[in-house]
Amino acid sequence: MRMDLSIAGQQFSLLENFKDDTRLRASFNALTHQTFEFDFEQWYQDGYWGEGYQPWALAHDGRIVANISVNLMHFDVLGEPRRGIQLGTVMVAPEYRGQGLSRVLLERVLDRWQGQCELVYLFANDTVLDYYPKFGFARVLEHEYSASLTPADRPCSFNRVDMDDLLERQRFISAVDSAVPVARLAMRSNPDQTMFYCTSFFKDCVHYSPALQAYVVMEIVDGVMTLYEVFARRALDLQALIAELSTPQTTRVVLGFAPLDSSGFEVQPLVSDDSLFVLGQAGQFIEDARLMFPLLSHA
């Protein structure tokens, strides 16, 4: 879709559904790389940029200069299905800032989606904490789960998965699609989002256990294990799995999700560079139930 708009005395084009336009996608990726130091081109070429990721962009003289992306999200929340949209890839080219371009995009996205889903949310850094409440968003506190570790005294059955191997990728995607939830707030039906991370930032963090028929996405840095996600077709003992993954030097585990069974874990308010904002009061249950959006669901 394309619509011409006049903003601050200049003519812009509002663009949607342009991912298959080579020129516009290149312009979008250039602004993404300028803003965030990554882009979506390989994700697109690998076939993972599906209909669940929908940029809304403003172009000036054929160049994309502002964007807000809509991510269609499905979750199991305390056992109940919920549908929402996550706003992300919010960016404006430096020379176009201060002209209200983000406001125009955000208002149009909210006009389209408000009332059509149960949650509209986003993550924002400290520089814009006062901006989103102007549009009806409320800051919501998430909670993080962690525990001290005692490594298992048996060999680890997990081996790193080569995510450059296309067959291994297909096996992993199948496991993601059929996995039982391990979190009280669990992302569902969105392997494309998982693959965004697991073919780029976390491609060396995917491990598989034939014995458990389970995948994990995890890394250990300076003795602290971050367990981002577990994908298994049957329920597993999370504490036993963590103990098996740990090394003699691992002293602590931090979860990238709020576990179904929180016994044995410490829970505390999440300290992060990004804060969660949810439209209206729809996100209060997240704070009340001490939940967090899984880290691999962040867009």
Side-chain angles (χ1 to χ4, degrees):
M1 187 194 88
R2 179 190 181 108
M3 178 186 298
D4 292 331
L5 299 174
S6 178
I7 306 171
Q10 298 187 81
Q11 291 301 120
F12 294 87
S13 296
L14 175 64
L15 305 172
E16 297 179 59
N17 302 320
F18 58 81
K19 69 182 176 72
D20 295 322
D21 184 308
T22 302
R23 182 182 61 82
L24 289 176
R25 190 177 68 252
S27 182
F28 171 78
N29 278 324
L31 181 58
T32 305
H33 197 276
Q34 179 185 19
T35 307
F36 301 110
E37 298 185 344
F38 71 86
D39 62 52
F40 296 93
E41 185 60 23
Q42 192 60 53
W43 191 54
Y44 172 84
Q45 295 297 337
D46 288 342
Y48 302 128
W49 183 342
E51 296 308 310
Y53 182 72
Q54 302 178 8
W56 290 49
L58 288 171
H60 183 243
D61 292 336
R63 171 192 165 208
I64 290 178
V65 297
N67 181 80
I68 293 179
S69 293
V70 172
N71 301 267
L72 308 185
M73 310 297 293
H74 297 269
F75 292 99
D76 281 346
V77 182
L78 303 176
E80 297 293 329
R82 294 210 183 190
R83 178 173 180 258
I85 64 166
Q86 178 183 183
L87 306 182
T89 327
V90 180
M91 54 188 179
V92 179
E95 63 271 33
Y96 289 86
R97 292 172 186 169
Q99 300 181 34
L101 303 190
S102 285
R103 176 184 55 79
V104 170
L105 287 171
L106 183 55
E107 288 175 346
R108 288 182 174 270
V109 166
L110 294 180
D111 284 345
R112 171 77 63 86
W113 285 98
Q114 197 166 359
Q116 297 190 40
C117 54
E118 296 163 276
L119 286 173
V120 179
Y121 69 99
L122 55 87
F123 295 92
N125 61 41
D126 290 345
T127 65
V128 290
L129 296 184
D130 296 329
Y131 179 71
Y132 291 105
K134 298 175 183 178
F135 299 89
F137 286 85
R139 192 174 182 180
V140 174
L141 184 65
E142 297 181 281
H143 285 78
E144 180 179 76
Y145 291 76
S146 63
S148 299
L149 284 185
T150 301
D153 58 1
R154 65 178 183 273
C156 179
S157 64
F158 283 87
N159 295 296
R160 190 173 71 82
V161 176
D162 180 2
M163 292 301 288
D164 289 325
D165 185 307
L166 295 183
L167 181 58
E168 292 290 354
R169 283 191 185 187
Q170 289 304 314
R171 290 171 177 160
F172 178 64
I173 291 172
S174 177
V176 172
D177 258 339
S178 59
V180 299
V182 297
R184 288 184 289 151
L185 196 168
M187 182 171 66
R188 308 295 289 165
S189 306
N190 199 347
D192 292 345
Q193 172 69 22
T194 301
M195 294 304 285
F196 172 75
Y197 283 104
C198 292
T199 58
S200 56
F201 303 106
F202 297 150
K203 67 181 295 184
D204 294 327
C205 300
V206 181
H207 299 76
Y208 178 67
S209 166
L212 298 176
Q213 295 185 308
Y215 287 87
V216 298
V217 184
M218 74 93 185
E219 61 181 345
I220 300 174
V221 178
D222 295 331
V224 177
M225 177 196 305
T226 303
L227 181 60
Y228 295 102
E229 193 56 88
V230 178
F231 300 108
R233 291 182 172 87
R234 60 183 177 86
L236 299 175
D237 183 331
L238 185 59
Q239 295 279 12
L241 182 147
I242 290 170
E244 181 175 338
L245 287 168
S246 62
T247 68
Q249 292 75 38
T250 311
T251 59
R252 193 161 190 82
V253 61
V254 178
L255 301 183
F257 52 89
L260 286 172
D261 181 2
S262 60
S263 58
F265 291 98
E266 302 167 22
V267 57
Q268 58 188 2
L270 177 64
V271 177
S272 172
D273 293 335
D274 294 320
S275 297
L276 171 64
F277 285 86
V278 180
L279 189 64
Q281 298 303 310
Q284 188 59 43
F285 76 92
I286 297 170
E287 189 167 322
D288 294 342
R290 300 199 294 184
L291 302 177
M292 67 179 292
F293 280 101
L295 294 181
L296 293 192
S297 74
H298 288 214

